[in-house]
Amino acid sequence: MKRNTEGVPVLPVAPTRGRLRPLGLDEVRITGGFWARRRQVNATATLDHCRDWMERVGWTGNFRAAVEGRVPHDRRGREFADSDVYKLLEAMSWQTGHDLDPALTEAVAAAQEPDGYLNTAYGRPGQQPRYSDLEWGHELYCYGHLIQAGVAHARARGEGELTKIARRAADHVCATFGSQGVQGVCGHPVIETALVELARVTGEQRYLDQAALFIERRGRRTLDDGEFGHAYYQDDIPVRQATVLRGHAVRALYLAAGAVDVAVETGDDDLLAAVVRQWENTVARRTYLTGGMGSHHRDESFGDDFVLPPDRAYSETCAGVASVMLSWRLLLATGEPRFADLAERTLFNVVATSPSEDGRSFFYANTLHRRRRGTVPPADVQLPRAESSLRAPWFAVSCCPTNVARTLALLPGYLATTDESGIQLHQYADADISTGGVALRIRTDYPSADRVTVRVDRSPDHPWTLSLRVPAWTEGATARLADPDGAHRTVAPGTATVTRVFRPGDEIHLELPVAPRWIAPDPRIDAVRGTAAVQRGPLVYCAESVDLPDGHETDAIRVDTSAAPQDGPDATVVVPGELTAPGERAWPYRPLDPAPAAPADRTGVVLVPYHSWANRGPSTMRVWLPTTDPDR
Amino acid sequence: MKRNTEGVPVLPVAPTRGRLRPLGLDEVRITGGFWARRRQVNATATLDHCRDWMERVGWTGNFRAAVEGRVPHDRRGREFADSDVYKLLEAMSWQTGHDLDPALTEAVAAAQEPDGYLNTAYGRPGQQPRYSDLEWGHELYCYGHLIQAGVAHARARGEGELTKIARRAADHVCATFGSQGVQGVCGHPVIETALVELARVTGEQRYLDQAALFIERRGRRTLDDGEFGHAYYQDDIPVRQATVLRGHAVRALYLAAGAVDVAVETGDDDLLAAVVRQWENTVARRTYLTGGMGSHHRDESFGDDFVLPPDRAYSETCAGVASVMLSWRLLLATGEPRFADLAERTLFNVVATSPSEDGRSFFYANTLHRRRRGTVPPADVQLPRAESSLRAPWFAVSCCPTNVARTLALLPGYLATTDESGIQLHQYADADISTGGVALRIRTDYPSADRVTVRVDRSPDHPWTLSLRVPAWTEGATARLADPDGAHRTVAPGTATVTRVFRPGDEIHLELPVAPRWIAPDPRIDAVRGTAAVQRGPLVYCAESVDLPDGHETDAIRVDTSAAPQDGPDATVVVPGELTAPGERAWPYRPLDPAPAAPADRTGVVLVPYHSWANRGPSTMRVWLPTTDPDR
């Protein structure tokens, strides 16, 4: 990655205040391992896949159709289809070595109207008027992704046509929705964070002001109640009064990210504290073991506290992306490692789960339990909607593939930060870091292996502090740090530091207890009572029927948690258990029988990393495994 | 109840073949107890409540608006609003002593077009054309309820204007959808059973033929796939090939009832066997403890096998009504008591649960677990949609109140049958039966008390057999029968009989073990693993927060199933248990701790009949109670 023409860091998010300063894509390079493989597939397969599909289903063509007066007749896709073109442009902007498609940018530019308005679904003859449906129209949502693309282009490649389009759109938004304008908000937040980022890129205060206005207006019921109620679009309670995330998960998380951006730029500690409180309650009560969020299919929303059914886990890929965006912002603002902990969990178990190994099909929803073997969707068919089925190449609502693409493209920007004391490592990957007078070479097979080695290649001649996140998942096990002198010490979950005058060749070793462990759920989560899961390092594991003998399905598994899980070959884990075959009953309830069931034959049950499931053909799957107990 | 003018029995369903002949509302009179109270409220409050609401929200006015050319402008309600007017007319027809509103029948008659077409939502200037949307238009569905009302009127009061309207509509349907006509089916079945019933009333074979055509056409994907797929309206698999009920629960159950009617009238044993198989698999794998059906809110549908989450139980009231309709038909066709068992469970725990004590508010969905105290909906507000909240007076989709009303009105018709051997009692209530030369007086406080006494008031001078259902819920306990000589014997679940020359004054006593018992779920029902419920006789019990000390919610309950539940005062049951207060955690998953939790203080937890819940203000509630075990 070259620096952009202005010589400022290539940052996914660039707050001007806050506890930590992020290191950009020009400063952090992922060189191997888990994420390098996925980024390679993203760069070589997924970006083209998204572009080809959007050509095929006509979403890129919508811009040409708008210019040529062929809408609404020739317009394709849902009302927010423009946004996926923008997300692809954003992904391409971040992606090293990938050229943007100039024709695409030109088509977008041509469709922008003289006053800055830009949307292929509204406002032209035969279409609904502009802003006639703030609840569902997604016009401001589309601007949000357009602006994020313009910001990415400016940061990664210097200001270009895409950035200019974004500026014009943002100016139009400020003129239309400013304090003297339409007193409304968009049914789908995302413009808030985009406007703050544009303010950061351009130095224009008015974009920040407009974002702050949108944050303050939300929660005052300016949107219609609608089928799902005001909470669906977070219009039920003002942002600074809310105590937990609720409603549509992606909307809630994008909004929270925007609120953090506004809070940081304006020094609004109350607003920041409100979002931290929402994050805390959401993580404590409304988050799946995978980091996934959203437990209702009907409205893609959070459930009530502790309502986390694994079989109905919506856990939308985009909610995972948005959750990482939020956690990263909170980490930068506060420096607290708990935010990096959740980001790690979500990256490995939601974001990495969505794409197939070949990067050409995707999970939209990321269920934690699949009872029936699905069928592999045809590679050339767009699924009508998000399904908890096997990965599909494209969806009628196809927000997830482009969201995965942009996240993988900018991922190096989520790894490390700096402050006056030194450098902080938040996520572990094989990576080279070069910033200021420091160059570090990080070598690890994490999350498979237990060791992260940080080798100092260059360092100034004065003491500074290297900070390493000790993941929260090490709780109850032992993590160790060896400093360049070879001295070992135990480190607790949180942050471990080494402060000294580093010399080239110095090595720091962090040893993390990645051995597989049983995980028990909070007893308030009704849906997984009487079950346990396995985690190995940050990776959640699951049972998949392709690993079971004799055509058994995963619902037959009962595990014995009195023995520890063991590492098996090829990144598998083996747990003791049995495969049951309950008899048929005419009625599935019976008077309680105090006599325990006869013991079944014990066997070793093979588990695989959750992110890797459904790459070996149709299968059943479960993360939470019922335990053998007298009640069965 | 007087006989109708033709002197034929007043029967809710009148098959011309089948194992048992039902006794009509002119032969069975409910005289006291559980159902008499509810029928009294229905007659004196619910019928007027429904009529008043439909006036108020304009659904009855739609007919006048259609005649006066004021549609679509003045038409109110959803596309199927006509059907609720018809269901109310049906309920009024069955209800002893209740006059039909002649103005209402006249309005309906006036809106019928010369060719028999009748629907206020389609076909007039400015409206969508007739039958332009078979998936969602509900035109045939509306005819179904119209015809059922016409049949009820004919049976209970003799043929009248309502019956004539129904005949004209049915003739129009035969002309339009006959073998040479539109090769389609309605997105919402119900016309099938209605047409068979009209054939029974009129002796017109063509109505039966048309019903049989609709049954055969279904499952051949003539309807669009739609958002929820073909299974939603059972258009995925032909009726005689399907093995389980699936898709929208009410649709599936009405269709199955219609298929039984066709099978019985045409002597189609294969079709009957197909429905029996579907019923068996549905009851074994897709039915809640309450008898409720439907576990998804999104499409009001059945879930997969053993997917029965109590907190998302849709268990629509109308599905309960439809399930009783189906079971009653299967009982008449086969004589097997298992169908009466399910009907009993569903009547006491779904149909009786929907209306409030005053009969003026209703549950649409009947959840088995409510985590948050709701708020009582205002008595003058129509809820936008079905919610698992507290009972509401009316809904935008308000199928349930009129369905409850018609079921309670015709309920005596579901109690008893006759055949060559004698008389069969299927449901127990304080009731007088008089048919042919036999008069019986049944006295009982069932389901509260354990004794049902059948006193013979009149009997012919030759031997005959009195059959009594011994409920399946007595399994594992002891039921006893005392014959008129005072001889006691133990009777197993199924059917107990007494055959003799009965004398006036003879008494038969059935003693049923109604003491409360713990019920365990099938281990394949993931959502209730590690819990138990209490049943007392046919009544499912629940914990309700209004009975807990100190503002505790029902999710705090842990019960000890090693001790039996005990009867408490006022129909309550008391179980041993404890109230937990889990500490706050930042993250709801943790490494499994093999040490058991410290024991909490034991207390007695009060349970109440499920049907009675939510009559004492907002509360939390649960049927399935987590058990104290080492995993918590």
Side-chain angles (χ1 to χ4, degrees):
Chain A
M1 171 69 55
K2 296 258 178 60
R3 283 221 167 205
N4 52 52
T5 50
E6 285 81 16
V8 295
V10 182
L11 296 172
V13 189
T16 62
R17 313 184 194 195
R19 173 70 188 78
L20 304 174
R21 184 182 79 74
L23 297 183
L25 280 74
D26 51 331
E27 296 165 308
V28 181
R29 197 163 56 90
I30 295 178
T31 51
F34 188 98
W35 291 114
R37 285 190 299 277
R38 276 158 184 78
R39 296 188 73 241
Q40 173 73 10
V41 169
N42 188 52
T44 58
T46 303
L47 293 178
D48 287 350
H49 173 88
C50 292
R51 191 201 57 215
D52 293 348
W53 264 96
M54 285 196 281
E55 273 295 326
R56 177 174 169 184
V57 294
W59 301 357
T60 49
N62 285 339
F63 294 94
R64 296 186 290 273
V67 171
E68 295 163 11
R70 291 184 284 105
V71 294
H73 182 271
D74 284 351
R75 192 181 180 281
R76 297 288 176 265
R78 292 285 300 271
E79 58 272 40
F80 37 76
D82 294 0
S83 69
D84 281 303
V85 176
Y86 304 147
K87 271 150 69 192
L88 177 61
L89 285 168
E90 183 192 342
M92 288 171 164
S93 296
W94 295 125
Q95 184 59 52
T96 311
H98 200 100
D99 288 333
L100 264 70
D101 184 345
L104 198 52
T105 306
E106 283 162 27
V108 172
Q112 190 166 37
E113 303 193 37
D115 66 350
Y117 183 87
L118 175 49
N119 194 294
T120 66
Y122 290 89
R124 292 178 193 262
Q127 295 182 319
Q128 295 291 314
R130 295 179 180 185
Y131 310 122
S132 56
D133 182 8
L134 287 176
E135 286 76 16
W136 290 99
H138 286 79
E139 287 154 286
L140 293 166
Y141 169 84
C142 288
Y143 292 141
H145 283 301
L146 171 67
I147 292 167
Q148 287 181 332
V151 166
H153 197 283
R155 294 233 179 89
R157 298 158 190 258
E159 283 216 22
E161 182 61 22
L162 202 52
T163 319
K164 293 188 186 109
I165 304 168
R167 276 180 181 259
R168 286 195 294 265
D171 291 341
H172 161 78
V173 169
C174 293
T176 310
F177 288 89
S179 54
Q180 305 304 311
V182 177
Q183 299 297 301
V185 296
C186 183
H188 198 317
V190 85
I191 193 163
E192 298 81 0
T193 186
L195 283 170
V196 177
E197 284 278 275
L198 188 64
R200 288 163 174 164
V201 160
T202 61
E204 296 281 3
Q205 174 75 25
R206 67 180 182 282
Y207 301 143
L208 174 59
D209 293 344
Q210 184 64 46
L213 257 185
F214 281 138
I215 295 291
E216 293 306 323
R217 269 183 206 157
R218 171 99 29 193
R220 302 184 194 280
R221 304 187 178 227
T222 63
L223 298 170
D224 280 348
D225 195 8
E227 184 180 357
F228 305 134
H230 285 109
Y232 173 76
Y233 16 58
Q234 297 74 49
D235 200 28
D236 54 337
I237 304 170
V239 177
R240 63 179 71 238
Q241 291 171 25
T243 58
V244 69
L245 299 184
R246 68 238 168 267
H248 187 271
V250 179
R251 283 168 165 81
L253 289 156
Y254 281 163
L255 177 67
V260 174
D261 284 337
V262 167
V264 165
E265 293 305 314
T266 60
D268 186 339
D269 291 343
D270 285 349
L271 182 59
L272 180 62
V275 179
V276 169
R277 182 177 64 230
Q278 292 163 30
W279 183 93
E280 285 171 347
N281 286 327
T282 303
V283 171
R285 297 160 172 263
R286 299 186 173 188
T287 303
Y288 284 100
L289 180 63
T290 54
M293 294 183 182
S295 56
H296 287 324
H297 280 231
R298 190 173 148 265
D299 50 358
E300 309 185 306
S301 75
F302 285 100
D304 282 351
D305 289 349
F306 302 110
V307 177
L308 295 161
D311 55 343
R312 297 295 287 170
Y314 200 68
S315 183
E316 186 181 331
T317 300
C318 289
V321 167
S323 172
V324 173
M325 288 170 61
L326 173 60
S327 289
W328 179 244
R329 282 160 170 78
L330 289 170
L331 172 65
L332 296 180
T334 67
E336 296 171 17
R338 57 181 173 158
F339 300 113
D341 282 326
L342 185 73
E344 174 181 68
R345 183 176 292 272
T346 309
L347 285 167
F348 279 118
N349 300 296
V350 179
V351 177
T353 304
S354 174
S356 60
E357 286 176 348
D358 71 359
R360 295 179 192 280
S361 61
F362 304 87
F363 279 127
Y364 189 118
N366 294 278
T367 187
L368 272 69
H369 181 187
R370 189 171 166 82
R371 288 192 179 81
R372 293 198 294 191
R373 298 184 183 213
T375 50
V376 180
D380 58 349
V381 171
Q382 169 180 280
L383 280 200
R385 52 182 302 282
E387 301 273 0
S388 243
S389 71
L390 292 178
R391 294 178 182 90
W394 204 251
F395 307 93
V397 175
S398 213
C399 41
C400 296
T402 52
N403 236 342
V404 168
R406 67 180 183 134
T407 302
L408 289 173
L410 63 74
L411 195 72
Y414 283 163
L415 261 55
T417 59
T418 182
D419 67 2
E420 290 140 24
S421 76
I423 290 177
Q424 301 81 39
L425 304 184
H426 303 289
Q427 306 297 344
Y428 298 113
D430 225 51
D432 292 345
I433 294 179
S434 175
T435 180
V438 177
L440 304 176
R441 203 182 307 176
I442 303 157
R443 291 297 173 264
T444 181
D445 280 327
Y446 187 87
S448 302
D450 62 357
R451 174 175 283 224
V452 178
T453 295
V454 182
R455 182 188 162 94
V456 178
D457 277 355
R458 190 173 74 240
S459 178
D461 202 22
H462 58 75
W464 58 276
T465 299
L466 177 68
S467 297
L468 300 114
R469 180 176 61 96
V470 181
W473 59 256
T474 64
E475 182 202 348
T478 304
R480 258 187 281 266
L481 186 74
D483 70 20
D485 303 326
H488 282 69
R489 59 188 158 104
T490 299
V491 289
T495 303
T497 58
V498 181
T499 305
R500 60 192 294 146
V501 179
F502 289 96
R503 310 285 177 201
D506 277 356
E507 286 191 351
I508 300 95
H509 302 285
L510 178 64
E511 275 166 34
L512 296 169
V514 295
R517 293 202 286 172
W518 287 116
I519 303 293
D522 189 292
R524 286 168 293 195
I525 306 177
D526 284 302
V528 290
R529 180 169 290 110
T531 70
V534 166
Q535 202 177 314
R536 187 182 185 285
L539 298 183
V540 173
Y541 272 62
C542 67
E544 202 179 353
S545 59
V546 287
D547 296 310
L548 299 181
D550 306 330
H552 273 289
E553 301 300 339
T554 47
D555 284 353
I557 298 171
R558 299 289 178 273
V559 294
D560 176 3
T561 57
S562 66
Q566 302 293 327
D567 275 321
D570 300 326
T572 61
V573 164
V574 181
V575 296
E578 57 190 49
L579 299 173
T580 63
E584 286 302 307
R585 297 179 186 175
W587 177 243
Y589 312 98
R590 56 164 55 160
L592 189 66
D593 179 2
D601 289 341
R602 289 301 167 109
T603 185
V605 178
V606 174
L607 309 181
V608 297
Y610 172 69
H611 66 74
S612 73
W613 90 277
N615 275 301
R616 295 176 289 167
S619 61
T620 55
M621 182 276 294
R622 60 187 303 162
V623 167
W624 291 104
L625 304 169
T627 58
T628 52
D629 71 33
D631 275 348
R632 76 206 150 93
Chain B
M1 168 71 53
K2 295 253 178 62
R3 283 223 167 200
N4 52 53
T5 50
E6 284 81 16
V8 296
V10 182
L11 297 172
V13 188
T16 61
R17 312 185 195 199
R19 174 69 189 78
L20 304 174
R21 183 182 79 75
L23 296 184
L25 281 73
D26 51 332
E27 296 166 306
V28 181
R29 197 162 56 90
I30 295 179
T31 51
F34 188 97
W35 291 114
R37 286 191 298 277
R38 277 157 184 78
R39 295 188 73 240
Q40 173 73 9
V41 169
N42 188 52
T44 58
T46 303
L47 293 178
D48 287 349
H49 174 89
C50 291
R51 192 199 56 215
D52 293 349
W53 265 97
M54 285 197 280
E55 273 296 325
R56 178 174 171 184
V57 296
W59 300 357
T60 49
N62 286 339
F63 295 94
R64 296 186 290 273
V67 171
E68 292 164 12
R70 291 185 284 107
V71 294
H73 183 269
D74 283 351
R75 192 180 181 283
R76 298 288 176 268
R78 293 284 300 271
E79 58 273 40
F80 38 74
D82 295 358
S83 69
D84 282 303
V85 177
Y86 304 148
K87 272 151 68 192
L88 176 62
L89 286 168
E90 182 192 343
M92 288 172 164
S93 296
W94 295 125
Q95 183 60 53
T96 312
H98 201 99
D99 289 332
L100 263 72
D101 185 343
L104 199 52
T105 305
E106 283 162 26
V108 171
Q112 190 167 36
E113 303 192 38
D115 66 349
Y117 183 87
L118 175 48
N119 194 294
T120 67
Y122 290 89
R124 291 174 194 265
Q127 295 182 318
Q128 295 290 315
R130 295 178 179 186
Y131 310 122
S132 56
D133 182 8
L134 287 177
E135 287 75 16
W136 290 100
H138 286 79
E139 288 154 285
L140 293 166
Y141 169 83
C142 288
Y143 292 141
H145 284 300
L146 171 66
I147 293 168
Q148 288 182 332
V151 167
H153 197 284
R155 295 231 178 91
R157 297 157 190 260
E159 283 216 22
E161 181 62 22
L162 203 51
T163 319
K164 293 188 186 108
I165 304 168
R167 275 178 180 260
R168 286 194 294 265
D171 290 340
H172 161 78
V173 169
C174 292
T176 310
F177 289 88
S179 54
Q180 305 304 314
V182 177
Q183 299 296 303
V185 296
C186 184
H188 199 316
V190 85
I191 192 163
E192 297 82 0
T193 185
L195 284 172
V196 178
E197 283 279 275
L198 188 63
R200 288 163 174 165
V201 160
T202 62
E204 296 280 3
Q205 173 77 23
R206 66 180 183 281
Y207 302 143
L208 173 60
D209 292 345
Q210 184 65 45
L213 258 184
F214 282 139
I215 294 290
E216 292 306 323
R217 269 184 205 156
R218 173 101 23 195
R220 303 185 192 278
R221 303 187 180 229
T222 63
L223 298 170
D224 280 350
D225 194 10
E227 183 179 359
F228 304 133
H230 285 109
Y232 173 75
Y233 16 59
Q234 297 75 47
D235 200 29
D236 54 336
I237 304 171
V239 177
R240 62 180 71 239
Q241 290 171 24
T243 58
V244 70
L245 298 184
R246 67 238 170 267
H248 188 271
V250 179
R251 283 168 166 81
L253 288 157
Y254 281 163
L255 177 67
V260 174
D261 285 336
V262 167
V264 165
E265 293 305 314
T266 60
D268 188 338
D269 291 343
D270 284 350
L271 182 59
L272 180 63
V275 179
V276 169
R277 182 177 66 230
Q278 292 164 31
W279 183 95
E280 285 170 347
N281 285 327
T282 303
V283 171
R285 298 159 172 262
R286 299 188 174 188
T287 303
Y288 284 100
L289 181 62
T290 55
M293 295 184 181
S295 56
H296 288 323
H297 280 232
R298 191 175 146 265
D299 49 359
E300 309 184 305
S301 75
F302 286 99
D304 282 351
D305 288 350
F306 302 110
V307 177
L308 294 161
D311 55 342
R312 298 294 286 170
Y314 200 67
S315 182
E316 187 181 331
T317 299
C318 288
V321 167
S323 173
V324 174
M325 288 170 61
L326 173 60
S327 289
W328 179 244
R329 282 159 170 77
L330 289 170
L331 172 64
L332 295 181
T334 67
E336 296 172 17
R338 56 181 175 158
F339 300 114
D341 282 327
L342 185 72
E344 172 181 69
R345 184 177 291 274
T346 308
L347 285 167
F348 278 119
N349 299 296
V350 179
V351 176
T353 303
S354 174
S356 59
E357 287 176 349
D358 71 359
R360 294 178 191 281
S361 62
F362 305 86
F363 279 127
Y364 189 119
N366 293 279
T367 186
L368 273 68
H369 182 185
R370 188 169 167 83
R371 288 193 178 80
R372 293 198 294 190
R373 299 184 183 215
T375 50
V376 180
D380 58 349
V381 172
Q382 168 179 281
L383 281 200
R385 54 182 303 283
E387 301 273 0
S388 242
S389 70
L390 292 179
R391 294 179 182 89
W394 204 250
F395 306 92
V397 175
S398 214
C399 42
C400 296
T402 51
N403 237 342
V404 168
R406 67 179 182 134
T407 303
L408 289 173
L410 63 76
L411 195 71
Y414 283 163
L415 261 55
T417 58
T418 182
D419 67 3
E420 290 139 26
S421 76
I423 291 177
Q424 301 81 40
L425 304 184
H426 304 289
Q427 306 298 343
Y428 297 114
D430 225 50
D432 292 346
I433 294 180
S434 175
T435 181
V438 177
L440 304 175
R441 202 182 306 177
I442 302 158
R443 291 297 173 265
T444 181
D445 281 329
Y446 187 87
S448 302
D450 61 359
R451 174 175 285 224
V452 179
T453 296
V454 181
R455 183 188 162 93
V456 178
D457 277 353
R458 190 174 71 240
S459 178
D461 202 23
H462 57 75
W464 58 277
T465 299
L466 177 68
S467 297
L468 299 114
R469 180 176 60 97
V470 181
W473 59 255
T474 63
E475 182 202 349
T478 304
R480 257 187 282 265
L481 186 74
D483 68 21
D485 303 325
H488 282 68
R489 59 188 158 104
T490 298
V491 287
T495 303
T497 58
V498 181
T499 304
R500 60 192 293 147
V501 179
F502 290 96
R503 310 284 175 201
D506 276 357
E507 287 191 351
I508 299 95
H509 301 285
L510 179 65
E511 275 166 36
L512 296 168
V514 296
R517 293 201 286 171
W518 288 117
I519 303 293
D522 190 291
R524 287 167 291 194
I525 306 177
D526 284 303
V528 290
R529 181 170 288 109
T531 70
V534 166
Q535 201 177 315
R536 187 183 184 285
L539 298 183
V540 173
Y541 271 62
C542 68
E544 201 179 352
S545 58
V546 287
D547 295 311
L548 300 180
D550 307 331
H552 273 290
E553 302 299 340
T554 46
D555 284 353
I557 298 171
R558 298 290 177 273
V559 293
D560 175 2
T561 56
S562 66
Q566 301 294 326
D567 275 323
D570 299 329
T572 61
V573 165
V574 181
V575 296
E578 58 191 48
L579 299 172
T580 63
E584 286 302 308
R585 297 179 186 176
W587 176 243
Y589 312 97
R590 55 162 58 157
L592 189 66
D593 179 1
D601 289 340
R602 290 299 166 111
T603 185
V605 179
V606 173
L607 310 181
V608 297
Y610 172 70
H611 67 74
S612 73
W613 92 276
N615 274 302
R616 295 176 290 167
S619 62
T620 55
M621 181 277 293
R622 62 186 302 161
V623 167
W624 291 104
L625 304 168
T627 58
T628 52
D629 72 33
D631 276 347
R632 75 208 148 92

